[in-house]
Amino acid sequence: MRSSRSTVTFSNAFSLLGYRGQLPAGDYDVLVEEELLQGLTFEAFRRTATYLLVLGAGGRTGRCEMRATCESDLNEALSRDRAASRSKNDSEAALSPLEDLK
């Protein structure tokens, strides 16, 4: 077995399939566990688990929850986040006219 850790950033509140409610925007650690495939002439690993680490808030500060997810669900949440950010940036409200500098 081996584990790797990476960080993903959400610019907007988001949700994950299988969990109620939304999580706030921010940086989240992702833990991936893989196992070595036996019997091959080369080293190869298979992903066995993916977890999003969610830090507690309010009365749960200092606690960390490992939310089991899968790579495709996490990528889908990141895609929705990017699309939401793009639509905010493309809105008329985001495109305010420049004031004349005199």
Side-chain angles (χ1 to χ4, degrees):
M1 292 290 290
R2 73 177 181 183
S3 297
S4 61
R5 194 177 200 149
S6 61
T7 301
V8 295
T9 301
F10 286 92
S11 300
N12 306 284
F14 68 100
S15 60
L16 280 177
L17 189 64
Y19 294 95
R20 289 188 326 179
Q22 289 197 325
L23 294 169
D27 294 334
Y28 290 83
D29 286 336
V30 176
L31 179 66
V32 174
E33 293 182 348
E34 298 171 308
E35 68 180 359
L36 180 65
L37 297 174
Q38 300 292 327
L40 299 175
T41 58
F42 55 92
E43 191 174 84
F45 290 85
R46 177 180 58 151
R47 184 180 296 226
T48 58
T50 302
Y51 300 100
L52 184 72
L53 302 174
V54 179
L55 299 178
R60 298 182 57 187
T61 301
R63 294 185 183 189
C64 182
E65 177 184 352
M66 291 177 57
R67 292 196 177 185
T69 187
C70 67
E71 184 178 19
S72 61
D73 289 347
L74 186 57
N75 286 335
E76 177 63 29
L78 288 165
S79 292
R80 286 192 309 268
D81 182 63
R82 282 191 298 273
S85 292
R86 265 195 311 274
S87 69
K88 283 181 184 178
N89 290 337
D90 291 342
S91 72
E92 289 183 29
L95 300 174
S96 61
L98 295 174
E99 294 182 11
D100 291 334
L101 300 174
K102 293 183 181 181

